[in-house]
C-alpha cells in the first residue's frame, strides 16, 4: 500500500473467490493495479449485475485488504451484506465472473505523525478496513486496540483478526450473543483509559460514528471516522453522497463523502445535521 | 542446432474507421459529436482521471448559478429500473468560483466547454450570460430552463413557451454571436415542439433535449418517499425512448435547428439512434456513473456503427430516419 495521490484506475476485474462469513460475504477480486495503490480506508466502486443489467449505479465497498503479490497480479478483498439487487447478484457469482472495478477511491485513514496508541472501532462489517489499518499502524510501532460491535454475533466481523493483532479486544453485541451486551460506546471509555489512547479510528453506521466521535471528544482525542453514505458514482461527479462538514475556515459545506471522505475528523462532521442542509451551510436556502 | 521462433504480432487497438465525425452546432464546429451531460460530469476534472477530456466534442458543465448553492438534503438518489431518480437541487459553487477554478482549468486543459447556466429569474440568466461574455474558453452556452428539482413547478421555464422564450432572448442578447446558445428542454410538457419553436424564435441557436422527467419512488419499509426532496428527476436508459421521440418531433418540425440529444445513452448504438432521429451531437450522462470511461467508448462505438452502415460523414446520418422507406 503506497501513494494515495495516484489517480484511480478503471479495470476489468474478475471474481477469484467468494465465501460466506457469518451474515456477510467475503469477495476476493483480481483487480490489476488497484491493489498496489490502495491505502487503508479507501474503497472500490463496482459495476454489478452483468452486461444486460438494469442496475445503472455503481456500488461502493470499503477495501478489507489487498494482496499485491502472488500469481493473480493483485487482488482486492471486500466484505459486504447481500441486501439489495446488486449485492444479491454479486453473492451468486462464481469464479471468473467479470466485474468492472474503479479504485482505489477516497481519502484513506491518516496515520499519526508519531508513535501513538490507536483504538480501532468497527460496527458490523464496517470493521473490514480496520485490519489493514492495524497492520500499517503496528509497522509504525503504534499500539493497537480494538472495539468491535454488531447487532448479533453473526454480524461481527474480524474478531479473530482483532484478537491476533490487538492488545485489548472488546466485543459488544446488541443482543448479548457475543461479548458485552450493549453498544461499542458502552465499553469504549474503559478501553481508552486502559490503553492511553491517542487517536480513535472508526468505521461503521452513521449513528455509531456519531457516538464514537462524542466519546473521543470527551477525552480530547481525535477520531477519524470513515462514513458510509449511499453513492451513485463514487468518483465525485454525481453529488448524491454529501454531508455537512465544517471546514478549516469554520464554514459548513455539503461535501462529497466519496472524494473529500470517506474518512473525516469526527469533530468536523455535523452528525446531528446529517440528512439535512443546516441553515448556516454555504449556499443554504434563505 | 537451430530452432525457429514464431513471432506473435503485438496486439494493437482496432483501427478507427474513416468517418468524418465533425459536427456543426450553429456557429461552432466540434471535432466530434460526443459530449458529457450537464450534472453528470461536474466540470470535467474528475473524469479527466479516467480519460482525456479534450478527446470529447465538449465538456458540458453542471449548471452554474449566480451564488453558491447547497442543494437539497439527502437522500438525493434512488435507483429505479434502468434508471435513477436524483434530487440534487443544483448544488454548486456559483459563477465566481466557477470562473476562477473550473472554467480556467478546462481552458488550460484545452477542453471545449459548454457552460450550463440556471437561474430563478430572467435577470439571473442575463447576468450569468453577461459574466460569461467576459470569460475566455466558453464554446457554447446551454440554458437550463428545465431542472425539475425546484420547489415551485411554476419556475420551470421550459414548461411555458413564453417564459422559455423570455429566458433565451435575454441570454442571446448578452452573448457574443460567435457563441451558440442552446436551450435545454423538458419532456414534461404537452407540446415540446411549441416550446422548441418559441426558443428558436427567441434566438436559440439550437436545442438540448431532454432534461430528466419528474418522478418519485416510495420506500416500502418506511412507507414514505425515498428522496428527501420527495420528487426527483428520472434519468438513464429508462427514458431513452422519450428522448428519441422528442428529438424526432422537434427535428421534423425544425429540421435546420441543431439538436444535442441526451437521455439514457450508454452505447454507440444508443447515440446513433439519437443521431438518426435528428441529433447533431449526443451527451452521455447517467452512464458515466456506471462507467466513467463511457464518453470516449460511446464515441468509438458510434464511429464504428456509422462506418458499418456506410456513412462517410456523421452529418449524412443526422435525421436519416426521417427519410422515406429505404
Amino acid at each position: 500500500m503506497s501513494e494515495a495521490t495516484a489517480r484511480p484506475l478503471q479495470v476489468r476485474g474478475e471474481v477469484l473467490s467468494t465465501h460466506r462469513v457469518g451474515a456477510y460475504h467475503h469477495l476476493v477480486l483480481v483487480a490489476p493495479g488497484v491493489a498496489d495503490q490502495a491505502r487503508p480506508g479507501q474503497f472500490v466502486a463496482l459495476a454489478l449485475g452483468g452486461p444486460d443489467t438494469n442496475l445503472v449505479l455503481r456500488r461502493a465497498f470499503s477495501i478489507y485488504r489487498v494482496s499485491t503479490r502472488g500469481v493473480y497480479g493483485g487482488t482486492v478483498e471486500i466484505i459486504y451484506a447481500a441486501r439489495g439487487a446488486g449485492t444479491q447478484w454479486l453473492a451468486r457469482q462464481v469464479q471468473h465472473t467479470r466485474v468492472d472495478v474503479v479504485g482505489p477511491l477516497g481519502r484513506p485513514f491518516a496515520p499519526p505523525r508519531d508513535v501513538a496508541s490507536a483504538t480501532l472501532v468497527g460496527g458490523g462489517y464496517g470493521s473490514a478496513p480496520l485490519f489493514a489499518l492495524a497492520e500499517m499502524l503496528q509497522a509504525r510501532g503504534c499500539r493497537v486496540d480494538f472495539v468491535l460491535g454488531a447487532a448479533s454475533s453473526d454480524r461481527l466481523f474480524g474478531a479473530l483478526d482483532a484478537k491476533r493483532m490487538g492488545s485489548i479486544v472488546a466485543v459488544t453485541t446488541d443482543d448479548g450473543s457475543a461479548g458485552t451486551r450493549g453498544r461499542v460506546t458502552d465499553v469504549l471509555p474503559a478501553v481508552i483509559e486502559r490503553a492511553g489512547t491517542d487517536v480513535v479510528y472508526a468505521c461503521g453506521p452513521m449513528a455509531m460514528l456519531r457516538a464514537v466521535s462524542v466519546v473521543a471528544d470527551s477525552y480530547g482525542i481525535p477520531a477519524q471516522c470513515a462514513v458510509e453514505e449511499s453513492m451513485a458514482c463514487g468518483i465525485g461527479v454525481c453529488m448524491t453522497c454529501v454531508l455537512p462538514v465544517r471546514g478549516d475556515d469554520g464554514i459548513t459545506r455539503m461535501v462529497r463523502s466519496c472524494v473529500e471522505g470517506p474518512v473525516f475528523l469526527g469533530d468536523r462532521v455535523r452528525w446531528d445535521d446529517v440528512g439535512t442542509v443546516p441553515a448556516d451551510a454555504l449556499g443554504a436556502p434563505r | 542446432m537451430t530452432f525457429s521462433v514464431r513471432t506473435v504480432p503485438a496486439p494493437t487497438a482496432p483501427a478507427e474507421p474513416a468517418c468524418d465525425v465533425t459536427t456543426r452546432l450553429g456557429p461552432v464546429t466540434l471535432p466530434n459529436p460526443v459530449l458529457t451531460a450537464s450534472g453528470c460530469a461536474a466540470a470535467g476534472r474528475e473524469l479527466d482521471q479516467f480519460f482525456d477530456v479534450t478527446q470529447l466534442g465538449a465538456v458540458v458543465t453542471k449548471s452554474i448559478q449566480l451564488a453558491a448553492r447547497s442543494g437539497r438534503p439527502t437522500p438525493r438518489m434512488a435507483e429505479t429500473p434502468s434508471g435513477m431518480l436524483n434530487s440534487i437541487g443544483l448544488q454548486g459553487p456559483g459563477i465566481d468560483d466557477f470562473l476562477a477554478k473550473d472554467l480556467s482549468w478546462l481552458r488550460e486543459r484545452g477542453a471545449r466547454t459548454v457552460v450550463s447556466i440556471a437561474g430563478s429569474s430572467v435577470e439571473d440568466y442575463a447576468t450569468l450570460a453577461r459574466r460569461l461574455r467576459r470569460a475566455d474558453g466558453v464554446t457554447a452556452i446551454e440554458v437550463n430552463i428545465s431542472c425539475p428539482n425546484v420547489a415551485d413547478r411554476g419556475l420551470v421555464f421550459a414548461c411555458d413557451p413564453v417564459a422559455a422564450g423570455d429566458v433565451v432572448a435575454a441570454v442571446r442578447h448578452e452573448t457574443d454571436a460567435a457563441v451558440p446558445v442552446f436551450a435545454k428542454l423538458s419532456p414534461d410538457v404537452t407540446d415540446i415542439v411549441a416550446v422548441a419553436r418559441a426558443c428558436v424564435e427567441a434566438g436559440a441557436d439550437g436545442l438540448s433535449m431532454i432534461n430528466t422527467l419528474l418522478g418519485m419512488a416510495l420506500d416500502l419499509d418506511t412507507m414514505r418517499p425515498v428522496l428527501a426532496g420527495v420528487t426527483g428527476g428520472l434519468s438513464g436508459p429508462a427514458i431513452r425512448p422519450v428522448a428519441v421521440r422528442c428529438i424526432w418531433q422537434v427535428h421534423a418540425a425544425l429540421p435546420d435547428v441543431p439538436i444535442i440529444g441526451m437521455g439514457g445513452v450508454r452505447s454507440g448504438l444508443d447515440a446513433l439512434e439519437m443521431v438518426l432521429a435528428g441529433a447533431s451531437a449526443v451527451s452521455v450522462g447517467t452512464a458515466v456513473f456506471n462507467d466513467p470511461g463511457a464518453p470516449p467508448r460511446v464515441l468509438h462505438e458510434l464511429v464504428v456503427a456509422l462506418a458499418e452502415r456506410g456513412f462517410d460523414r456523421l452529418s449524412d446520418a443526422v435525421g436519416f430516419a426521417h427519410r422515406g422507406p429505404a
Side-chain angles (χ1 to χ4, degrees), chain A residues 1-18:
Chain A
M1 294 205 168
S2 60
E3 285 303 299
T5 50
R7 60 169 64 180
L9 304 173
Q10 181 178 14
V11 300
R12 235 154 72 95
E14 192 182 315
V15 172
L16 185 61
S17 68
T18 178

Side-chain angles (χ1 to χ4, degrees), chain A residues 6-11 32-35 37-38 42-45 58 63 101-106 235, chain B residues 50:
Chain A
R7 60 169 64 180
L9 304 173
Q10 181 178 14
V11 300
V34 176
Q37 294 183 25
Q42 289 190 294
F43 65 94
V44 288
R58 281 203 176 238
I63 296 170
V101 181
V102 170
L105 294 164
I235 60 170
Chain B
F50 297 96

Side-chain angles (χ1 to χ4, degrees), chain B residues 178-215:
Chain B
V179 175
V181 171
F182 275 65
K184 186 158 184 180
L185 305 187
S186 169
D188 287 339
V189 293
T190 311
D191 183 1
I192 195 165
V193 172
V195 183
R197 217 184 282 280
C199 290
V200 171
E201 280 165 9
D205 299 86
L207 302 162
S208 298
M209 59 184 125
I210 55 176
N211 209 318
T212 54
L213 286 84
L214 191 65

